[in-house]
Amino acid sequence: MDAAAFRKHGHELVDWIADYLEEPERYPVLSRNSPGDIVRALPASAPEDPESFGAIFADFERVLVPGLTHWNHPGFFAYFAATASGPGILGELLTAALNQQAMLWRTSPAATELEQVALGWLRQLMGLPATFEGVIYDTASISTFHALAAAREARVPAVRALGLCGRDLPRYRVYCSAQAHSSIDKAVIAIGLGHRSLTRVPVDEAFRMQTEALAAAIAADRAAGVVPLAVIAAVGTTSTTSVDPLRAIADICRREHIWLHVDAAYAGAAAMLPTHRHILDGVESADSLVVNPHKWLFTPVDVSAFYCRRMDDVRAAFALTPEYLKTSEGDAGAVRNLMDTGIQLGRRFRALKLWMVMRSFGASGLREHLARHIELAQRFASWVDADPRFTRMAPTPFSVVCFRWEPDGTGAAATLAPPAADAREVALDALNGRLLDAVNQSGEIFISHTKLNGRYVLRLAIGHARTTIDHVSRAWQLLQDHAARIQESV
Ligand code: PLP
């Protein structure tokens, strides 16, 4: 593709993207494809001869667009709603064009140092102490993996050289709440401790880790010769966005000399708001923290910010420089080589889009959107609370509402005596599943579900920059309309 063709197709593509961003609602938010549609529509082998960009783009529109679930649709309320904002998309375009591999400082001084600057800004906005050094990974799962690998490096003697097998070592333990994210399970598996080395601590009625239960689990493990390795506190759990009591957990970890990692992948961004600064109370004595700008900070996937007070432990676990990557500035210790802070060698220039987003929105713009999302969620929660046919199933500390349709209006399923309660619960689970499918088939909104205390629960997650009160009202209307239709049909 020569420069003239690139310019032509680039302009066309940017026009297409601008239209898309302006009017994502012309598409159903949830793809209506059936499994295999895309594979069947495309040739089984790569073309032998070059094809024109026009032909490729035509197939993109014809075959792939119907197979897109539109995360950039303001009716996207599933999982954690996210936004690829204009400045973030432009940053991503530049990242691809520049193709920086920021493994060594010299392979991209700009990418290396901008990462430090952008993460420094984000750290300040969230009120994290300057003792936290930052590095960008692709996802929170990888951030948490590195936290646990560093904790293992710090605790297990000579683990880097000798590993865990065939040695006289105690059993090690990692703790998180019953509501913590599955990425922790995967990290525990990946660092070779075995899945059973993860203890899930019970939560209270608001889905927060019970600190007495954590302390008791640690004491019992110590008595049995098991060595506590790390605790993960969640600031914004995935199902309900509950916030674990960070300060109390931090006190236990400090007393017990256990690595404390904070999973603030979604909700950490809210610490930018004066109203929510308290969610990170106690973070100064945590060892590491993850927050994902690609969740609630308007930056296209994939940017996960990992902060660590003991980055030297990460480096001790992973730094390894073969001859062909040695540099004079690296040997002199004059620079930071990002390949030292993790398992990856080549690294994308991810800081660019984050930096562009922070500058374009400004701190005030970021705060405005976050506060607006929280306000919209409180409005939706108040509608649920006021309607006897629906029940809120968890507190709403941020922008996610967990609720359930309970058609007979009792709102008190839990108080029924078993086995009547069981039968009723099973029926309600099925009805809520039908309601979820019905509203999602509308094409106007996409919501997801979770289970709380064994019950099927609907989740409305507000987080797209273009989501307004009209979209949230429409979601509520659709839920009520489809609930009425389902009730008529049963
Ligand atoms: N931690 C929490 C609390 C999450 O909600 C999620 C995903 O939703 C993750 C970690 C994993 O995020 P990622 O997809 O960036 O690995």
Side-chain angles (χ1 to χ4, degrees), residues 136-138 146 338-339 342-348 350:
I136 295 179
Y137 300 127
D138 58 354
H146 282 93
L338 289 174
M339 69 172 195
I343 199 155
Q344 264 185 281
L345 174 63
R347 317 175 82 262
R348 290 175 358 98
R350 293 197 183 93

Side-chain angles (χ1 to χ4, degrees), residues 1-12 53:
M1 189 179 280
D2 62 20
F6 183 85
R7 197 180 306 280
K8 176 176 177 301
H9 298 309
H11 281 296
E12 287 164 2
F53 193 76

Side-chain angles (χ1 to χ4, degrees), residues 80 139-141 181 183 236 238 263 265 292 294-295:
F80 284 122
T139 56
S141 304
H181 192 262
S183 53
T238 309
D263 181 356
N292 273 5
H294 71 216
K295 280 192 167 42

Side-chain angles (χ1 to χ4, degrees), residues 6 35 59 75 112 162 184 201 244 283 300 318 369 371 375 393 443 461 482:
F6 183 85
D59 277 354
T112 304
L162 303 176
I184 299 162
V201 178
D244 288 338
V283 75
F318 292 110
H369 279 288
E375 157 68 16
M393 303 301 284
H482 283 282

Side-chain angles (χ1 to χ4, degrees), residues 57-408:
F57 196 75
D59 277 354
F60 163 74
E61 285 202 288
R62 182 180 62 84
V63 179
L64 297 183
V65 170
L68 298 174
T69 288
H70 293 278
W71 287 73
N72 242 354
H73 189 298
F76 190 107
F77 296 117
Y79 315 114
F80 284 122
T83 311
S85 63
I89 295 167
L90 294 176
E92 189 71 67
L93 181 61
L94 268 178
T95 291
L98 300 169
N99 204 24
Q100 299 289 283
Q101 295 276 7
M103 50 194 184
L104 297 166
W105 178 85
R106 74 164 53 175
T107 62
S108 186
T112 304
E113 294 187 19
L114 189 67
E115 188 156 318
Q116 191 179 334
V117 171
L119 291 187
W121 290 3
L122 181 59
R123 181 179 61 215
Q124 285 171 27
L125 288 176
M126 289 172 55
L128 286 177
T131 42
F132 282 88
E133 182 181 339
V135 65
I136 295 179
Y137 300 127
D138 58 354
T139 56
S141 304
I142 298 302
S143 292
T144 294
F145 161 81
H146 282 93
L148 292 189
R152 186 186 66 165
E153 179 67 28
R155 174 64 66 221
V156 183
V159 67
R160 173 171 164 142
L162 303 176
L164 296 168
C165 301
R167 303 172 65 197
D168 187 17
L169 289 174
R171 179 148 208 126
Y172 295 95
R173 192 81 77 202
V174 175
Y175 310 81
C176 65
S177 92
Q179 290 287 317
H181 192 262
S182 56
S183 53
I184 299 162
D185 300 64
K186 288 197 181 184
V188 168
I189 295 166
I191 64 167
L193 296 185
H195 202 180
R196 285 193 208 155
S197 296
L198 179 64
T199 292
R200 286 194 168 262
V201 178
V203 292
D204 66 12
E205 71 298 339
F207 306 101
R208 300 168 298 206
M209 186 193 283
Q210 292 184 15
T211 45
E212 318 78 56
L214 171 66
I218 291 169
D221 277 343
R222 287 222 194 271
V226 176
V227 176
L229 189 85
V231 174
I232 292 94
V235 171
T237 54
T238 309
S239 285
T240 72
T241 71
S242 58
V243 177
D244 288 338
L246 186 52
R247 186 169 289 287
I249 295 171
D251 286 347
I252 293 172
C253 289
R254 206 174 38 224
R255 200 170 58 231
E256 299 277 347
H257 303 289
I258 303 174
W259 187 289
L260 173 57
H261 175 61
V262 180
D263 181 356
Y266 150 75
M272 290 185 189
L273 299 169
T275 48
H276 287 70
R277 188 44 66 99
H278 60 87
I279 61 175
L280 291 182
D281 260 3
V283 75
E284 62 283 356
S285 53
D287 296 287
S288 55
L289 174 143
V290 56
V291 58
N292 273 5
H294 71 216
K295 280 192 167 42
W296 203 9
L297 280 178
F298 318 109
T299 311
V301 71
D302 46 0
V303 181
S304 179
F306 176 70
Y307 289 101
C308 191
R309 279 199 309 132
R310 300 166 64 177
M311 204 62 99
D312 281 345
D313 287 328
V314 179
R315 283 185 272 264
F318 292 110
L320 195 154
T321 310
E323 184 56 39
Y324 43 84
L325 293 176
K326 288 199 170 129
T327 63
S328 49
E329 67 274 13
D331 289 348
V335 295
R336 212 169 74 124
N337 289 324
L338 289 174
M339 69 172 195
D340 293 343
T341 37
I343 199 155
Q344 264 185 281
L345 174 63
R347 317 175 82 262
R348 290 175 358 98
F349 191 178
R350 293 197 183 93
L352 186 58
K353 55 187 171 181
L354 176 61
W355 180 68
M356 289 191 168
V357 165
M358 285 196 283
R359 290 191 63 173
S360 284
F361 281 75
S364 60
L366 296 174
R367 284 192 212 102
E368 231 166 74
H369 279 288
L370 298 173
R372 196 172 57 75
H373 290 153
I374 293 171
E375 157 68 16
L376 288 174
Q378 305 309 313
R379 298 270 287 274
F380 185 89
S382 73
W383 301 335
V384 170
D385 291 347
D387 190 324
R389 297 163 303 171
F390 287 84
T391 304
R392 194 137 60 90
M393 303 301 284
T396 305
F398 303 103
S399 67
V400 175
V401 188
C402 292
F403 62 102
R404 180 165 146 108
W405 176 39
E406 301 196 323
D408 64 3

